Amino acid sequence: MSSQLAALNQWVEEVARLTQPEKIHWCDGSDVENQLLVDLMLSNGDLMRLNEETHPNCYLHRSHPDDVARVEHLTFVCTSEREDAGPNNHWMAPAEAHAKIDALFEGCMRGRTLYVVPYCMGPIHSPLSRCGVEITDSPYVVANMRVMTRMGADALARIEREGTFVKGLHSIGELDPDRRFIMHFPEELTIKSYGSGYGGNALLGKKCHALRIASHQARSEGWLAEHMLIVGIQNPEGETHYIAAAFPSACGKTNLAMLIPPEAYEQAGWKVWTVGDDICWMQAGEDGRLWAINPEAGFFGVAPGTSSKTNRNALDMLDHDAIFTNVAVTADNQPWWEGLMVGEPAIDWRGRPYDPANGPAAHPNSRFTVSARQCRSYSPHTEDPQGVPISAIVFGGRRASLVPLVFEARDWNHGVLVGAAMGSETTAAATGKVGIIRRDPMAMKPFCGYNFGDYWAHWLSFNREGAKLPRIFHVNWFRKDGDGKFLWPGFGDNLRVLEWMINRVKGDAGAVDTPIGLLPHHRDLNIDGLSIGHADVEQLLAIDEHAWHQEYRDIADYLDGFGGRTPELLRQECARIRGALAS
Ligand code: GTP
Ligand code: SPV
Ligand code: MN
């Protein structure tokens, strides 16, 4: 055995001594293995088979009702210096954190099987990819990791070649919210997660590895690990522009990544190519451009709101070989959620007969897990080892008021400020109150594995000689009118906004200069065929300077909260805009 695998074996043995499993299973990722796991879960109640005629190989998982979302208050970044984790993270000293969580792991797998899950984040032959091994006692986690990552024998072979991998230890424990922690040790490339089976808490390749650990690693190695979708927009001339977009959880990444063009656009020859829907790893190429890969291999998407009208590409990939978590089911055992627009719920997400008095039939954060290969718009370039070149970076939030439909940053440094200043209403993707506006820089508030001040400095450092950086934009699909209705139709019609961006990149579109950035003039935005009127567009593109003045006061205070770690350039940029707003 190679010394690399010897190190892995030794860690597995150590963990087994601590957790005392009945059996140890090394996952190879094969179909046979998956079938055995599915059969096991069907027999122990972890999974229920859905309607085999309408949804072959589709399963429903009902989680513990107290375990339905990420738990930010129990998520820690454990660097040796508190300042390195920053005010944006909960921090615990590494030794204390290990002791606390190891005490929970002690003997926790008695009578259970310990699964060793080798995985690769990113195309298996890409130099940008990174490997990890998750140890878990949850077959549901194994089945999900198999869809979400390149899991099994090939990953193990790469680990053997490279020697380095991220260690992730996970147990569902008692699923007790009072005995639950998600701990990260970026300096040790280690994750320990106890007491939850939910996606972002338990599928350790996703947010824990590909964002918190990877962002920390990316800073020291000179690349970026971001909470961004990657989409390719092909125009009628046949050119494809790749756009990376950061929106907070449940704010539209999956939907934008697999957008269906409005009919007139489709007829004119526009095409949309999905590369990724949640995470993007980017690096400067030799040509000075930023090149991006999607480290994931599947989608763990929000079910509610997905319909043939809003996202046909998503719906069409969900009628076979998919895992559903916490959705409702119809009388004939088909998956159902709010916004599906067909069928009716018979049983709610907790397994009770549906009663509107109990709230929504599907949990608002109910999810589907599906291989990216099942998506019709899946881009063949997703597998390119060098990634795809990024033409534009888009930041966006869920803001009922103030923030216009779209604006462009003046330059890279201004764009970094626009990202750092992002605010968004909280959603059901994390526990806690929904609809509260909070600062969520680059949509990374729950996911940045180090101090935001250092993170912004890292972003600014990409602006160097020879760099051909993407343009930076900000969007808001969620602006509401006086009656609480969305002003912008969203979904497929968001292509109209992307078209303006691409034309800006090419130098073909106009813009109006304002203190907060460059906005399209309403003639620059194609609204042909939309039911919204001129007045709505006017409102969507209006700037209330007085309210923005307040907003920027708040932004300046927020940046000050990071003390000496906030880059001076960012403060200057902020001061410049405040000055322009005041005058
Ligand atoms: P995570 O997987 O949590 O990171 O979420 P996400 O950013 O991928 O969000 P997703 O695309 O799943 O959208 C979340 C919710 O927002 C769904 O209920 C969508 O229907 C809704 N949504 C997405 N795009 C739009 C849009 O353009 N307009 C409006 N009004 N709603 C949207
Ligand atoms: C998110 O919350 O941003 C998600 C789902 O993409 S989770 O995998 O739980 O993080
Ligand atoms: Mn996400």
Side-chain angles (χ1 to χ4, degrees):
M1 188 191 302
S2 68
S3 59
Q4 275 65 297
L5 283 193
L8 171 56
N9 262 292
Q10 199 188 333
W11 173 56
V12 172
E13 276 167 29
E14 264 169 45
V15 168
R17 265 198 303 278
L18 175 68
T19 59
Q20 302 281 313
E22 185 178 301
K23 279 190 284 198
I24 296 180
H25 176 94
W26 288 69
C27 295
D28 61 14
S30 65
D31 291 345
V32 175
E33 176 183 83
N34 188 55
Q35 196 54 54
L36 286 170
L37 286 171
V38 167
D39 291 343
L40 170 73
M41 288 187 278
L42 286 171
S43 68
N44 72 10
D46 268 357
L47 290 185
M48 273 151 286
R49 196 186 288 283
L50 291 164
N51 188 317
E52 276 175 273
E53 259 156 50
T54 57
H55 291 76
N57 298 318
C58 288
Y59 304 97
L60 168 65
H61 172 76
R62 290 200 186 109
S63 78
H64 192 285
D66 284 331
D67 186 34
V68 293
R70 285 183 292 97
V71 282
E72 296 179 4
H73 61 296
L74 301 173
T75 299
F76 289 78
V77 170
C78 309
T79 44
S80 18
E81 299 296 325
R82 181 182 208 131
E83 271 294 288
D84 291 339
N88 44 304
N89 281 301
H90 298 295
W91 176 85
M92 206 183 285
E96 186 192 342
H98 280 299
K100 213 174 191 109
I101 201 162
D102 285 355
L104 298 175
F105 276 113
E106 220 175 288
C108 72
M109 296 189 191
R110 277 195 197 106
R112 293 179 183 171
T113 300
L114 176 160
Y115 297 94
V116 182
V117 185
Y119 62 86
C120 178
M121 299 310 290
I124 197 89
H125 298 300
S126 169
L128 301 174
S129 301
R130 294 285 190 281
C131 289
V133 177
E134 173 164 1
I135 293 179
T136 179
D137 55 7
S138 162
Y140 166 80
V141 165
V142 178
N144 277 273
M145 284 292 284
R146 179 169 182 268
V147 176
M148 297 304 298
T149 72
R150 280 93 173 161
M151 182 271 257
D154 292 349
L156 189 62
R158 182 166 170 157
I159 289 169
E160 186 168 7
R161 268 198 320 277
E162 287 181 342
T164 52
F165 63 96
V166 170
K167 289 180 188 156
L169 172 54
H170 169 255
S171 171
I172 54 171
E174 303 80 17
L175 295 173
D176 174 355
D178 292 328
R179 287 166 59 83
R180 182 176 293 164
F181 285 112
I182 325 295
M183 307 257 198
H184 303 75
F185 306 88
E187 292 151 356
E188 305 165 34
L189 300 183
T190 295
I191 305 152
K192 292 184 177 178
S193 164
Y194 189 90
S196 167
Y198 171 75
N201 302 331
L203 311 178
L204 301 187
K206 199 172 175 50
K207 296 303 176 25
C208 302
H209 176 166
L211 288 179
R212 297 194 192 95
I213 299 287
S215 61
H216 192 276
Q217 211 172 15
R219 182 194 174 205
S220 54
E221 296 174 5
W223 48 284
L224 289 167
E226 299 298 327
H227 189 204
M228 291 178 177
L229 66 96
I230 309 166
V231 66
I233 306 292
Q234 185 180 327
N235 64 17
E237 294 82 65
E239 312 159 343
T240 302
H241 286 272
Y242 292 93
I243 295 177
F247 310 152
S249 302
C251 290
K253 289 182 300 304
T254 301
N255 277 275
L256 193 68
M258 44 192 85
L259 159 160
I260 309 252
E263 211 171 298
Y265 279 73
E266 215 147 38
Q267 274 163 13
W270 290 83
K271 286 202 173 66
V272 172
W273 299 102
T274 307
V275 179
D277 83 325
D278 199 49
I279 303 182
C280 164
W281 287 356
M282 279 186 286
Q283 198 167 71
E286 272 166 28
D287 61 359
R289 291 191 289 176
L290 288 185
W291 291 75
I293 62 163
N294 170 16
E296 301 191 281
F299 308 122
F300 182 63
V302 177
T306 308
S307 72
S308 58
K309 194 158 155 266
T310 57
N311 191 350
R312 197 175 69 230
N313 281 338
L315 200 68
D316 288 354
M317 67 186 179
L318 296 178
D319 57 10
H320 68 100
D321 298 276
I323 303 171
F324 295 87
T325 300
N326 293 337
V327 299
V329 289
T330 60
D332 67 345
N333 207 28
Q334 297 191 46
W336 192 93
W337 49 80
E338 276 68 20
L340 177 61
M341 303 202 303
V342 289
E344 272 172 38
I347 309 288
D348 76 3
W349 66 278
R350 297 181 65 164
R352 303 172 296 198
Y354 173 59
D355 178 352
N358 289 329
H363 189 276
N365 192 37
S366 55
R367 299 246 168 194
F368 53 78
T369 315
V370 68
S371 165
R373 289 187 306 260
Q374 288 183 207
C375 181
R376 190 184 300 112
S377 56
Y378 188 54
S379 165
H381 295 294
T382 304
E383 297 296 326
D384 290 355
Q386 78 278 17
V388 296
I390 299 298
S391 300
I393 288 176
V394 182
F395 296 118
R398 188 182 277 269
R399 296 289 293 261
S401 59
L402 183 72
V403 182
L405 178 64
V406 60
F407 63 92
E408 181 186 342
R410 197 158 282 106
D411 53 25
W412 183 261
N413 293 351
H414 177 214
V416 174
L417 175 67
V418 168
M422 265 170 70
S424 196
E425 293 154 23
T426 51
T427 66
T431 57
K433 237 173 130 62
V434 304
I436 310 286
I437 294 182
R438 69 162 179 185
R439 295 278 154 223
D440 191 351
M442 283 83 170
M444 286 286 277
K445 166 72 185 70
F447 308 121
C448 185
Y450 62 104
N451 190 313
F452 262 152
D454 298 335
Y455 172 74
W456 299 322
H458 183 50
W459 263 84
L460 291 167
S461 78
F462 282 79
N463 191 6
R464 55 182 166 241
E465 182 121 359
K468 294 198 186 72
L469 293 166
R471 296 225 191 185
I472 299 180
F473 298 85
H474 190 285
V475 298
N476 176 22
W477 312 139
F478 300 95
R479 186 76 177 260
K480 288 181 176 167
D481 66 13
D483 302 328
K485 266 190 33 237
F486 290 119
L487 272 167
W488 178 247
F491 301 101
D493 288 311
N494 292 335
L495 182 57
R496 298 166 188 275
V497 176
L498 301 186
E499 179 185 18
W500 178 70
M501 291 178 191
I502 291 170
N503 287 336
R504 289 292 298 165
V505 167
K506 292 166 60 176
D508 293 347
V512 184
D513 207 348
T514 79
I516 68 152
L518 305 156
L519 270 77
H521 192 273
H522 45 71
R523 65 170 175 267
D524 298 319
L525 212 53
N526 176 11
I527 58 161
D528 290 353
L530 284 188
S531 56
I532 67 170
H534 225 74
D536 292 328
V537 177
E538 207 106 291
Q539 208 181 329
L540 279 162
L541 297 176
I543 302 286
D544 177 344
E545 293 214 9
H546 181 72
W548 272 104
H549 195 261
Q550 297 274 66
E551 175 83 356
Y552 263 93
R553 183 180 309 161
D554 196 62
I555 291 165
D557 286 348
Y558 180 73
L559 296 180
D560 282 344
F562 294 82
R565 299 259 182 157
T566 303
E568 200 41 48
L569 259 179
L570 219 54
R571 290 185 204 274
Q572 284 167 13
E573 201 57 32
C574 188
R576 181 182 65 74
I577 293 171
R578 292 183 77 185
L581 283 165
S583 64

